[in-house]
């Protein structure tokens, strides 16, 4: 089993849609959780950290469920510029391990 | 934010040759350096972790004699792909870290082995 698993995607949504990505992790000792955004042929950029209480940053909301070892990212009011691959990442053993990513394509 | 540079940004080489990739943290000192590679449409896979002045720790399945990592200073690390083969063609990304919660990424090096 992979350490971090994500929805395979791709997600094709119209502008203004709400879209949710899910991610599960296998190592219960993981301490930190993140969502990254990666554009084609670029390095990943940190979108947001994920906290146990859940956190929001503008149109983006991240949630963590430690009991179920599950992380989610909700994007509201999708913009064309949100088109990218979204990677969840966790840190078991002080190493950042990524999921395979979910591709999002927002169309007019 | 932290500035990380990688050089070269892309390289094409012939099978059997070696390629050196440099990663520099320009405005901070990285105690730990992580090296990742990413094959097309796949995720970033951690290759190795190195601390300044110490030998790198390689992930399972990554050949340490093929991927030589040098972390000679807190601002510079190099990855050398020795005797490159077409299957080594990938996107290599360095990630200097101040601590487990502050990890930054270089812009990546796209290697194509012909």
């Amino acid at each position: 089993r992979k350490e971090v698993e994500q929805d395979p995607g791709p997600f094709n949504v119209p502008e203004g849609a709400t879209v949710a990505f899910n991610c599960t992790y296998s190592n219960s000792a993981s301490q930190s959780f993140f969502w990254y955004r990666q554009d084609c042929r670029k390095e990943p950029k940190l979108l947001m950290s994920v906290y146990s209480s859940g956190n929001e940053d503008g149109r983006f909301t991240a949630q963590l469920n430690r009991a179920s070892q599950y992380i989610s990212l909700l994007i509201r009011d999708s913009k064309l510029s949100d088109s990218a691959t979204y990677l969840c990442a966790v840190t078991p053993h002080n190493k950042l391990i990524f999921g395979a990513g979910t591709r999002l394509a927002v169309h007019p | 934010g932290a500035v990380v540079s990688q050089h070269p940004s892309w390289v094409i080489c012939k099978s059997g040759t070696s390629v050196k990739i440099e990663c520099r943290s320009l405005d901070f000192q990285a105690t730990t350096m992580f090296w990742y590679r990413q094959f097309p449409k796949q995720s970033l896979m951690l290759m190795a972790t190195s601390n300044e002045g110490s030998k790198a720790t390689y992930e399972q399945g990554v050949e340490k004699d093929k991927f030589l990592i040098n972390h000679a200073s807190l601002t510079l690390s190099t990855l050398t792909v020795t005797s490159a083969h077409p299957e080594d063609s990938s996107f290599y990304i360095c990630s200097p870290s101040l601590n487990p919660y502050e990890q930054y990424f270089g812009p990546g090096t796209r290697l194509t082995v012909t």
Side-chain angles (χ1 to χ4, degrees):
Chain A
R1 183 186 172 189
K2 292 181 182 177
E3 286 200 74
V4 183
E5 299 206 60
Q6 290 186 244
D7 285 349
F11 285 48
N12 295 296
V13 303
E15 274 187 289
T18 295
V19 61
F21 302 137
N22 303 314
C23 175
T24 57
Y25 59 95
S26 60
N27 192 324
S28 59
S30 299
Q31 300 162 329
S32 302
F33 310 88
F34 307 92
W35 282 100
Y36 281 80
R37 169 195 170 125
Q38 186 177 27
D39 293 289
C40 190
R41 295 176 174 263
K42 300 284 188 182
E43 75 276 23
K45 302 275 191 190
L46 180 64
L47 184 63
M48 57 199 302
S49 301
V50 188
Y51 303 116
S52 297
S53 55
N55 46 301
E56 187 174 307
D57 183 1
R59 298 181 293 111
F60 300 85
T61 301
Q63 300 249 320
L64 166 65
N65 184 322
R66 284 188 185 269
S68 301
Q69 294 180 200
Y70 171 96
I71 309 162
S72 65
L73 176 69
L74 185 75
I75 304 176
R76 290 181 298 279
D77 189 22
S78 300
K79 311 290 185 193
L80 294 175
S81 57
D82 293 334
S83 297
T85 297
Y86 291 82
L87 307 167
C88 66
V90 304
T91 55
H93 318 298
N94 290 331
K95 296 184 290 189
L96 195 60
I97 304 298
F98 287 89
T102 302
R103 179 95 177 88
L104 172 65
V106 182
H107 58 81
Chain B
V3 181
V4 182
S5 72
Q6 256 183 264
H7 178 80
S9 55
W10 60 270
V11 57
I12 301 172
C13 71
K14 292 187 176 180
S15 271
T17 60
S18 294
V19 174
K20 180 185 280 190
I21 300 169
E22 283 190 358
C23 176
R24 294 179 185 272
S25 51
L26 300 181
D27 57 356
F28 68 100
Q29 294 185 324
T31 51
T32 303
M33 182 69 73
F34 299 93
W35 283 94
Y36 292 84
R37 66 180 166 185
Q38 185 176 34
F39 295 108
K41 299 190 178 182
Q42 295 186 30
S43 188
L44 284 79
M45 298 299 295
L46 181 63
M47 299 176 68
T49 304
S50 73
N51 293 299
E52 185 253 344
S54 303
K55 287 186 178 180
T57 301
Y58 290 80
E59 296 298 304
Q60 191 172 14
V62 179
E63 299 174 58
K64 63 180 176 66
D65 295 328
K66 181 170 181 63
F67 298 99
L68 303 179
I69 291 172
N70 183 287
H71 192 173
S73 78
L74 291 173
T75 58
L76 171 64
S77 177
T78 61
L79 167 67
T80 302
V81 183
T82 63
S83 187
H85 290 285
E87 57 265 32
D88 298 324
S89 298
S90 189
F91 190 45
Y92 291 86
I93 305 175
C94 67
S95 179
S97 171
L98 289 166
N99 58 59
Y101 312 105
E102 287 186 86
Q103 198 166 326
Y104 305 97
F105 291 87
T109 297
R110 192 159 300 279
L111 170 65
T112 301
V113 185
T114 61

